[in-house]
């Protein structure tokens, strides 16, 4: 074997690593520029130029924003997304996104460049202890060796990539060759299939595989961290590595060490037919449901809710597509189970009487029908009134989850270790009896009454429309099949109140793992890379906290623009990708209006100074600075015109809705009474 240089060894090592990532489902890499991570960044870029259908590279100069950009991509796709950063504080800037990924079950693969061992602990610049930097917040950590170019080094790099993907996806994920991101609409459950077949196709008029929620929340996915030490010279030599690859019989340095299927041996032939040897197919994550329950477990659970009023609390992580949402509804209809549907559950895309979309308002009253048994799919919903209502009644609690109860109310009586889809596809027998039918009818009647109140939200002619009027108009105009990403605080609560089931499938997502405002603009932009149209609903605090995410306007237009050039300037021949359209709807009340609904609310000076904290930011000027088209409105007709006009406009767009800072509790009161 020919002698290799250290730069060729580095190229061979990182090329094999990134090639293997793509074989195991990674399609996107977000790079934060830096010196020590040069080899990682260049390998990702080089592979994206050579095989643009296999990998996309995004660049964000702000590490915190970059990590949330990747988080959004992984949340929307369900596939692991790789993050690349340099040494020192860069890694620390990923911390908020890593914690969000941990609690929201989003697969992230953090790849950090580091100084070699001989520079550690000796005062070298940009050096800190990066080993296990995220502690227990990651599913796995690996300290990578210094790059090497031997066959054994290449084999290790590939195995490390495989292990990273498996750890990020979690134990319930299944890796299958040629897996599609879109599950088949036929469920395999005769009961659900019969229900779907009975629906009026003309009334549905939608692709059942349309996404209605995050693809990454129902399994035990999460972040992983691999730390790569690199010594100078830092720039890898891919051209020289290609020469070395040719000597090893590989097409290029990214193919070294890649496994292929043995060539089939023709009958009577002395040697295999090399020309007929197929390569191993690229694998990808198929996040299918965990196994169905055995008959004995089904019988035991049916005994629990037999003749006991039962409802289902459905939070984020219950389903991802319209077909899956319909499956859950079909199961509930057979048993007359009311489905209290969180806005992130995906169920509000289904216009069925048993989908209780006004559960937050109903639970506030305390007079709604009380269950004796509650089945929970996914995390607890946004609504605090719902959890308080259930805590007070203390029904039997059955939690359905693949890994943990996530029960901060300490009320779990039975834990069923499967996904919601695995649960509903199990061989159930009983149907809803008289007691259950009457219980469901009470919930449906109360929900319909609350729905009429929401639909009567301030009319178009109102001189001073409230938040809900703008949200209702947005939901009326938002295109089917698009993404609605919500910020936390008032934005997600506005959705919980005013987002009514209407049979129009849209993918509704938010960062509810930590309920924070860190990097939410970047997360929404990341999620938008998997949709033609995205709307991001946010308040001014969240917008201000991640305002520099608007700098991604250039990156979005660049990444989805003309085909990229390879290392030698040759056109890769890939077709231009459509530029996603992202409309940011900013509900600007000039401060922390949500605190007006919390116990801190007061007329004393401390309240405005410490909690409302008016900012007086000119968001229009900020949008201009980043070349983002924008409009400022304060009437419904102006909002309708601006929103409809910006839908489909490539890249980032901003609509600022001006609202009062004080009085938000009074503005919501008519719809929550």
């Amino acid at each position: 074997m020919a002698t290799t240089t250290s730069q060729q060894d580095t190229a061979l090592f990182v090329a094999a690593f990134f090639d293997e990532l793509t074989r195991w489902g990674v399609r996107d890499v977000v790079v934060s520029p830096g010196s020590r991570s040069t080899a990682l960044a260049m390998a990702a870029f080089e592979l994206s130029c050579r095989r643009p259908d296999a990998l996309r590279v995004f660049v964000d100069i702000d590490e915190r924003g970059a990590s949330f950009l990747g988080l959004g991509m992984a949340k929307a796709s369900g596939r692991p997304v790789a993050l690349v950063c340099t040494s020192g504080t860069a890694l620390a800037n990923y911390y908020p996104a890593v914690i969000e990924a941990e609690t929201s079950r989003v697969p992230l693969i953090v790849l950090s460049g580091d100084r070699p061992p001989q520079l550690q602990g000796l005062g070298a610049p940009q050096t800190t202890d990066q080993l296990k930097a995220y502690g227990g917040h990651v599913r796995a950590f690996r300290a990578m060796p210094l790059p090497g170019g031997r066959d054994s080094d290449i084999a290790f790099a590939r195995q490390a990539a495989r292990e990273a993907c498996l750890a990020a996806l979690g134990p319930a994920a299944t890796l299958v060759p040629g897996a599609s991101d879109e599950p088949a609409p036929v469920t395999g459950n005769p009961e659900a299939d019969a229900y779907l077949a009975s629906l009026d196709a003309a009334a549905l008029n939608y692709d059942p595989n349309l996404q209605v929620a995050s693809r990454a929340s129902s399994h035990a996915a999460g972040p992983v961290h691999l730390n790569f030490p690199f010594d100078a010279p830092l720039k890898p030599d891919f051209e020289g590595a290609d020469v070395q690859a040719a000597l090893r019989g590989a097409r290029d340095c990214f193919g070294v060490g890649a496994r292929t299927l043995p060539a089939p041996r023709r009958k009577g032939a002395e040697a295999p037919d090399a020309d007929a040897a197929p390569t191993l197919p690229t694998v990808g994550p198929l996040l299918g449901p965990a196994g169905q329950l055995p008959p004995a477990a089904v019988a035991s659970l049916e005994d629990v809710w037999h003749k006991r009023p039962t409802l289902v609390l459905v939070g984020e992580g219950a389903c991802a597509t319209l077909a899956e949402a319909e499956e859950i509804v079909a199961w509930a209809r057979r048993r007359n189970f009311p489905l209290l549907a969180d806005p992130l559950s995906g169920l509000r895309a289904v216009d069925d009487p048993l989908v209780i979309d006004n559960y937050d308002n109903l639970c506030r009253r305390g007079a709604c029908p009380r269950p004796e048994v509650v089945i929970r799919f996914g995390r607890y919903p946004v609504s605090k009134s719902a959890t308080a209502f259930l805590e007070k009644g203390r029904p039997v609690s059955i939690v359905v989850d693949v890994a943990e109860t996530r029960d901060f109310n300490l009320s779990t009586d039975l834990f069923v270790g499967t996904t919601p889809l695995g649960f509903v596809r199990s061989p159930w027998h009983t149907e809803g009896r008289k007691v259950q039918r009457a219980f469901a009818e009470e919930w449906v009647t109360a929900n319909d009454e609350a729905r009429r109140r929401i639909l009567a939200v301030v009319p178009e002619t109102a001189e001073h429309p409230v938040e809900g009027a703008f949200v209702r108009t947005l939901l009326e105009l938002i295109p089917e099949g698009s993404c609605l990403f919500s910020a936390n605080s008032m934005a997600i609560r506005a959705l919980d109140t005013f987002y009514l089931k209407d049979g129009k499938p849209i993918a509704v997502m938010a960062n509810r793992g930590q309920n924070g405002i860190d990097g939410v603009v970047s997360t929404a932009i990341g999620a938008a890379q998997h949709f033609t149209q995205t709307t991001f609903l946010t308040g001014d605090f969240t917008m201000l906290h991640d305002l520099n995410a608007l700098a991604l306007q250039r990156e979005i237009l660049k990444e989805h623009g003309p085909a990229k050039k390879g290392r030698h300037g040759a056109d890769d021949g890939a077709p231009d990708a459509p530029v996603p359209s992202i409309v940011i709807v900013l509900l600007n009340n000039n401060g922390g209006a949500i605190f007006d609904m919390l116990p801190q609310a007061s007329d004393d000076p401390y309240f405005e100074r410490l909690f409302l904290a008016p900012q007086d930011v000119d968001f229009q000027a900020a949008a201009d600075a980043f070349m983002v088209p924008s409009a400022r409105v304060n009437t419904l007709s102006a909002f309708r015109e601006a929103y409809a006009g910006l839908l489909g406009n490539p890249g980032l767009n901003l609509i600022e809705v001006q609202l009062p800072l004080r009085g938000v509790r009074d503005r919501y009161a008519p719809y929550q009474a």
Side-chain angles (χ1 to χ4, degrees), residues 490-535:
M490 288 305 301
I492 191 64
R493 285 166 177 80
L495 274 188
D496 201 13
T497 300
F498 297 104
Y499 173 27
L500 301 179
K501 59 187 178 186
D502 58 2
K504 177 165 64 176
I506 55 175
V508 183
M509 289 180 259
N511 281 351
R512 293 301 291 174
Q514 295 293 317
N515 298 357
I517 63 174
D518 309 58
V520 182
V521 185
S522 297
T523 311
I525 294 172
Q529 304 313 304
H530 293 275
F531 296 88
T532 302
Q533 180 66 59
T534 297
T535 301

Side-chain angles (χ1 to χ4, degrees), residues 556-582:
I556 296 168
L557 298 176
K558 179 184 177 69
E559 175 61 27
H560 293 274
K564 292 176 289 188
K565 305 293 183 180
R567 186 160 33 87
H568 303 295
D571 196 319
D572 56 33
D576 293 356
V579 180
S581 171
I582 306 155

Side-chain angles (χ1 to χ4, degrees), residues 404-459:
E404 56 191 337
T405 66
R406 295 188 285 185
D407 184 7
F408 53 84
N409 284 328
L410 317 177
S411 61
T412 302
D413 296 298
L414 294 169
F415 177 79
V416 183
T418 184
T419 63
L421 287 173
F423 187 84
V424 303
R425 289 173 179 172
S426 297
W428 305 101
H429 301 101
T430 59
E431 298 185 10
R433 300 180 182 274
K434 184 177 180 180
V435 170
Q436 185 62 38
R437 288 197 299 271
F439 177 72
E441 286 171 4
E442 287 186 81
W443 272 98
V444 170
T445 300
N447 192 60
D448 289 344
E449 178 187 343
R451 179 187 181 88
R452 288 190 289 272
R453 184 181 296 109
I454 299 298
L455 289 174
V457 71
V458 180

